[in-house]
Amino acid sequence: MNNGRVFQIDANFGATAGIAEMLLQSHNGEINLLPALPKAWQNGSVKGLRARGGYTIDMVWEEGKLVEAVVSADNAGKVPISVKGEPKGSVTFKKGESRTIE
């Protein structure tokens, strides 16, 4: 027992996952950067977000717009990239390669 207090680990993990989904979504083989950026977060950065398919993303945004994203690939492949739902094209990676998206 914990003196009547319950540690809500599920809520803690759920909040973290929700925040990550606002900054990065990777569904259906596509990476979408800043898909649901809150207006209150006009400036910021994040490092180490993981996308499906073996990609790691570091991003910086200012005034609600992406300034730079560095996408690092664990595997070779081609992935479409969008920013706030707007397609920016597909990027082809070699295994271990990093590419900068502006």
Side-chain angles (χ1 to χ4, degrees), residues 73-90:
D74 292 348
N75 306 300
K78 183 176 183 179
V79 63
I81 296 181
S82 297
V83 177
K84 292 189 168 188
E86 182 180 322
K88 296 297 179 186
S90 294

Side-chain angles (χ1 to χ4, degrees), residues 37-58:
L37 184 67
K39 288 185 179 188
W41 297 355
Q42 289 298 297
N43 301 305
S45 65
V46 65
K47 290 187 177 196
L49 285 181
R50 293 287 290 178
R52 288 174 179 82
Y55 299 96
T56 303
I57 288 76
D58 301 337

Side-chain angles (χ1 to χ4, degrees), residues 19-47:
I19 290 167
E21 285 286 320
M22 289 190 296
L23 301 175
L24 169 71
Q25 293 179 5
S26 58
H27 305 285
N28 301 320
E30 178 181 320
I31 294 174
N32 189 1
L33 307 172
L34 305 177
L37 184 67
K39 288 185 179 188
W41 297 355
Q42 289 298 297
N43 301 305
S45 65
V46 65
K47 290 187 177 196

Side-chain angles (χ1 to χ4, degrees), residues 4-25:
R5 294 182 180 184
V6 177
F7 184 63
Q8 297 292 327
I9 194 71
D10 289 347
N12 292 331
F13 289 153
T16 304
I19 290 167
E21 285 286 320
M22 289 190 296
L23 301 175
L24 169 71
Q25 293 179 5

